[in-house]
């Protein structure tokens, strides 16, 4: 029957290893402080640099954190608005005749909002294509080597398309308001209509801010020489735009089925 050794006993039976002895198999650990032989990128690890000097990725993550922090605060605002929506919906009072009265009257959602939603989803696809274009490694390498500006050339059409789709969404929201006004459903008609105008209006303002960011990114894509700066502008804009798209889908579902 073979002898079974405890791991500690195996370690004791192994001959001692010299500090400069390399790992050549047999399960031995590599030296604690391996020799630096030069080449191979020694000293090029950004993570070993002090905070604030860890290269392009750290700067990109800093901007992403700023965008996500802003969106987190924005999310709290919209959740407060949604909470007020449901509280108002279920609010009621007793009138002089001892009747239980509810002032909430659901309104019909304009059908154009379905088209608007599809347009915004499509715009999220186009801006993601723009974002990926500025990070495609082979194009970044060509631009770094001075072989042209492929990232600028490929991302620009997608950014322009996203801007046009965003403008179409905002115009569609205005048309939806006009349809409601034509049906005499104005802001002061009842609590339901007030929340419809408030929710779509606030989201529309946020989307207009996103369009301004898109235009800024287009200008930056054409004028900025630093590829890192262009990547940060497009990346930050795309995450903001994606958030507005997801938020609208939630708000649209709320207006459609939450009344």
């Amino acid at each position: 029957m073979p002898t079974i050794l405890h791991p500690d006993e195996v370690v004791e039976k192994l001959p001692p290893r010299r500090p400069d002895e390399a790992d050549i198999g047999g399960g031995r650990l590599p030296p604690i402080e391996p020799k630096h032989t030069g080449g191979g990128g020694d000293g090029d690890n950004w993570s070993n640099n002090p905070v604030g000097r860890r290269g392009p990725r750290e700067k990109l993550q800093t901007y992403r954190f700023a965008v996500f922090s802003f969106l987190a605060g924005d999310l709290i605002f919209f959740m407060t608005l949604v909470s007020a929506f449901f509280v108002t919906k279920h609010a009621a009072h007793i009138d002089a005749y001892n009747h239980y009265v509810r002032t909430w009257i659901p309104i019909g959602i304009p059908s154009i909002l379905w088209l608007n939603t599809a347009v915004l989803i499509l715009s999220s696809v186009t801006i993601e294509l723009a974002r990926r274009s500025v990070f495609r490694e082979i194009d970044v390498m060509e631009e770094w080597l001075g072989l042209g500006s492929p990232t600028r050339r490929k991302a620009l059409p997608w950014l322009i398309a996203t801007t046009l789709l965003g403008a179409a969404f905002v115009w569609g929201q205005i048309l939806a308001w006009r349809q409601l006004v034509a049906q005499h459903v104005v802001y002061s008609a009842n609590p339901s209509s007030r929340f419809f105008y408030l929710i779509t209006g606030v989201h529309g303002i946020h989307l207009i801010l996103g369009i301004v960011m898109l235009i800024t990114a287009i200008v930056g894509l054409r004028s900025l020489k630093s590829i890192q700066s262009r990547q940060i502008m497009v990346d930050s804009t795309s995450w903001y735009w994606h958030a507005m798209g997801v938020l609208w889908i939630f708000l649209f579902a709320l207006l459609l089925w939450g009344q």
Side-chain angles (χ1 to χ4, degrees):
M1 182 174 181
T3 303
I4 299 176
L5 297 178
H6 190 273
D8 294 338
E9 297 175 348
V10 175
V11 174
E12 292 176 359
K13 290 178 178 294
L14 289 174
R17 179 168 58 89
R18 299 192 308 274
D20 60 342
E21 184 178 358
D23 181 15
I24 57 174
R28 293 180 179 177
L29 297 175
I32 297 175
E33 296 181 1
K35 292 182 178 180
H36 295 282
T37 56
D42 287 344
D44 291 341
N45 190 347
W46 292 106
S47 300
N48 295 331
N49 292 341
V51 175
R53 299 181 59 187
R54 293 180 179 175
R57 182 172 295 275
E58 182 187 29
K59 190 174 182 180
L60 176 64
Q61 291 175 345
T62 300
Y63 277 86
R64 281 182 178 175
F65 179 77
V67 172
F68 293 153
S69 298
F70 173 80
L71 291 174
D74 230 23
L75 179 62
I76 295 174
F77 168 77
F78 276 100
M79 292 308 298
T80 304
L81 188 60
V82 171
S83 299
F85 175 93
F86 284 109
V87 170
T88 306
K89 174 186 174 181
H90 296 288
H93 66 276
I94 306 297
D95 65 7
Y97 301 98
N98 204 30
H99 293 154
Y100 187 78
V101 179
R102 292 183 60 186
T103 57
W104 184 278
I105 303 175
I107 64 173
I109 300 300
S111 57
I112 194 174
L113 292 188
W114 288 98
L115 179 60
N116 289 356
T117 303
V119 167
L120 197 57
I121 292 174
L122 181 59
S123 72
S124 191
V125 174
T126 56
I127 198 169
E128 179 61 19
L129 291 173
R131 191 188 72 85
R132 296 191 180 196
S133 296
V134 296
F135 285 101
R136 188 172 288 114
E137 290 185 9
I138 186 171
D139 293 335
V140 172
M141 182 60 66
E142 287 183 11
E143 194 159 335
W144 184 75
L145 293 174
L147 302 178
S149 302
T151 60
R152 178 186 289 126
R153 184 180 67 254
K154 293 179 179 180
L156 188 59
W158 295 119
L159 283 179
I160 294 174
T162 305
T163 305
L164 295 176
L165 290 170
F169 176 87
V170 174
W171 178 246
Q173 297 296 77
I174 295 174
L175 291 180
W177 285 5
R178 288 182 176 179
Q179 289 180 10
L180 289 178
V181 171
Q183 300 170 10
H184 305 288
V185 181
V186 294
Y187 178 83
S188 59
N190 72 86
S192 177
S193 63
R194 281 198 294 271
F195 271 98
F196 177 87
Y197 284 104
L198 183 61
I199 289 174
T200 56
V202 172
H203 179 268
I205 292 173
H206 281 76
L207 207 73
I208 291 173
L209 175 60
I211 292 174
V212 172
M213 293 174 65
L214 280 167
I215 295 174
T216 305
I218 291 172
V219 174
L221 201 63
R222 295 179 61 88
S223 60
L224 293 176
K225 295 182 179 180
S226 170
I227 187 172
Q228 178 191 356
S229 299
R230 283 183 266 136
Q231 287 175 332
I232 289 174
M233 290 189 69
V234 175
D235 185 81
S236 301
T237 303
S238 67
W239 285 115
Y240 178 87
W241 194 264
H242 285 319
M244 291 302 106
V246 173
L247 178 62
W248 169 250
I249 292 175
F250 170 76
L251 295 176
F252 181 50
L254 174 70
L255 296 173
L256 193 63
W257 295 297
Q259 296 190 72

